Coordinates of all heavy atoms in Angstrom, one line a residue:
V72 N 24.3 -30.9 -1.5 CA 23.7 -30.0 -2.4 C 23.7 -28.6 -1.8 O 23.9 -28.4 -0.5 CB 22.2 -30.4 -2.7 CG1 22.1 -31.7 -3.4 CG2 21.4 -30.3 -1.5
T73 N 23.6 -27.6 -2.6 CA 23.5 -26.2 -2.1 C 22.1 -25.9 -1.8 O 21.2 -26.0 -2.7 CB 24.0 -25.2 -3.2 OG1 25.4 -25.5 -3.5 CG2 23.9 -23.8 -2.7
L74 N 21.8 -25.6 -0.6 CA 20.4 -25.4 -0.1 C 20.2 -23.9 -0.1 O 21.0 -23.1 0.5 CB 20.2 -26.0 1.2 CG 20.3 -27.5 1.4 CD1 20.3 -27.9 2.8 CD2 19.2 -28.2 0.6
V75 N 19.1 -23.5 -0.7 CA 18.7 -22.1 -0.7 C 17.2 -22.0 -0.2 O 16.3 -22.7 -0.7 CB 18.7 -21.5 -2.2 CG1 18.3 -20.1 -2.2 CG2 20.2 -21.7 -2.8
M76 N 17.0 -21.1 0.8 CA 15.7 -20.9 1.3 C 15.2 -19.6 0.6 O 15.8 -18.6 0.5 CB 15.8 -20.6 2.8 CG 14.4 -20.3 3.4 SD 14.5 -19.9 5.2 CE 14.9 -21.6 5.9
L77 N 14.0 -19.7 0.1 CA 13.3 -18.6 -0.5 C 12.0 -18.4 0.2 O 11.1 -19.3 0.1 CB 13.1 -19.0 -2.0 CG 12.5 -18.0 -2.9 CD1 13.4 -16.8 -3.1 CD2 12.3 -18.6 -4.3
S78 N 11.8 -17.3 0.9 CA 10.6 -17.1 1.7 C 9.9 -15.8 1.6 O 10.6 -14.8 1.7 CB 11.1 -17.3 3.2 OG 10.0 -17.2 4.1
N79 N 8.6 -15.8 1.4 CA 7.8 -14.7 1.5 C 7.6 -14.4 3.0 O 6.9 -15.2 3.7 CB 6.4 -14.8 0.9 CG 6.5 -14.8 -0.6 OD1 7.5 -14.4 -1.2 ND2 5.4 -15.0 -1.3
T80 N 8.2 -13.4 3.6 CA 8.2 -13.2 5.0 C 8.4 -11.7 5.3 O 8.6 -10.9 4.4 CB 9.1 -14.1 5.8 OG1 8.8 -14.1 7.2 CG2 10.6 -13.8 5.5
N81 N 8.4 -11.4 6.6 CA 8.6 -10.0 7.0 C 9.6 -10.0 8.1 O 10.0 -11.0 8.6 CB 7.3 -9.4 7.4 CG 6.6 -10.1 8.6 OD1 7.2 -10.1 9.7 ND2 5.5 -10.8 8.4
A82 N 10.1 -8.8 8.4 CA 11.2 -8.6 9.4 C 10.8 -9.2 10.7 O 11.7 -9.8 11.4 CB 11.5 -7.1 9.5
L83 N 9.6 -9.0 11.2 CA 9.2 -9.6 12.5 C 9.2 -11.1 12.5 O 9.7 -11.7 13.5 CB 7.8 -9.1 12.9 CG 7.6 -7.6 13.1 CD1 6.1 -7.2 13.4 CD2 8.5 -7.1 14.2
H84 N 8.7 -11.7 11.5 CA 8.7 -13.2 11.4 C 10.1 -13.7 11.3 O 10.4 -14.7 12.0 CB 7.8 -13.7 10.3 CG 6.4 -13.6 10.5 ND1 5.4 -13.8 9.6 CD2 5.7 -13.3 11.7 CE1 4.2 -13.6 10.1 NE2 4.3 -13.3 11.3
T85 N 10.9 -13.1 10.5 CA 12.3 -13.6 10.3 C 13.1 -13.5 11.6 O 13.7 -14.5 12.0 CB 13.0 -12.8 9.2 OG1 12.3 -12.9 8.0 CG2 14.5 -13.2 9.1
C86 N 13.0 -12.4 12.3 CA 13.7 -12.2 13.6 C 13.2 -13.3 14.6 O 14.0 -13.9 15.2 CB 13.4 -10.8 14.1 SG 14.3 -10.4 15.7
F87 N 11.9 -13.4 14.7 CA 11.3 -14.4 15.7 C 11.8 -15.8 15.3 O 12.3 -16.6 16.2 CB 9.8 -14.3 15.7 CG 9.1 -15.3 16.6 CD1 8.8 -14.9 17.9 CD2 8.8 -16.6 16.2 CE1 8.2 -15.7 18.8 CE2 8.2 -17.4 17.1 CZ 7.9 -17.0 18.4
A88 N 11.6 -16.2 14.1 CA 11.9 -17.6 13.7 C 13.4 -17.9 13.8 O 13.8 -19.0 14.3 CB 11.5 -17.9 12.3
E89 N 14.3 -17.0 13.4 CA 15.7 -17.2 13.5 C 16.2 -17.3 15.0 O 17.1 -18.0 15.3 CB 16.5 -16.2 12.7 CG 16.4 -16.3 11.2 CD 17.3 -15.4 10.5 OE1 17.7 -14.3 11.0 OE2 17.5 -15.6 9.3
Q90 N 15.5 -16.5 15.9 CA 15.9 -16.6 17.3 C 15.4 -17.9 17.9 O 16.1 -18.5 18.7 CB 15.3 -15.4 18.0 CG 16.0 -14.1 17.8 CD 15.3 -13.0 18.5 OE1 14.2 -13.1 19.0 NE2 16.0 -11.8 18.5
H91 N 14.2 -18.3 17.6 CA 13.6 -19.5 18.2 C 14.0 -20.8 17.6 O 13.9 -21.9 18.2 CB 12.0 -19.4 18.3 CG 11.6 -18.4 19.2 ND1 11.6 -17.0 19.0 CD2 11.1 -18.5 20.5 CE1 11.1 -16.3 20.0 NE2 10.9 -17.2 21.0
F92 N 14.3 -20.8 16.3 CA 14.6 -22.0 15.6 C 15.9 -21.9 14.7 O 15.9 -22.1 13.5 CB 13.5 -22.4 14.7 CG 12.1 -22.5 15.3 CD1 11.2 -21.5 15.1 CD2 11.8 -23.5 16.2 CE1 10.0 -21.5 15.8 CE2 10.6 -23.6 16.9 CZ 9.7 -22.6 16.6
P93 N 17.0 -21.5 15.3 CA 18.2 -21.2 14.5 C 18.7 -22.5 13.7 O 19.2 -22.4 12.6 CB 19.3 -20.8 15.5 CG 18.8 -21.3 16.8 CD 17.3 -21.3 16.7

Side-chain angles (χ1 to χ4, degrees):
V72 299
T73 301
L74 297 171
V75 179
M76 178 184 287
L77 186 62
S78 181
N79 284 353
T80 191
N81 61 66
L83 295 178
H84 284 171
T85 300
C86 182
F87 181 93
E89 286 184 342
Q90 286 178 349
H91 288 80
F92 308 106

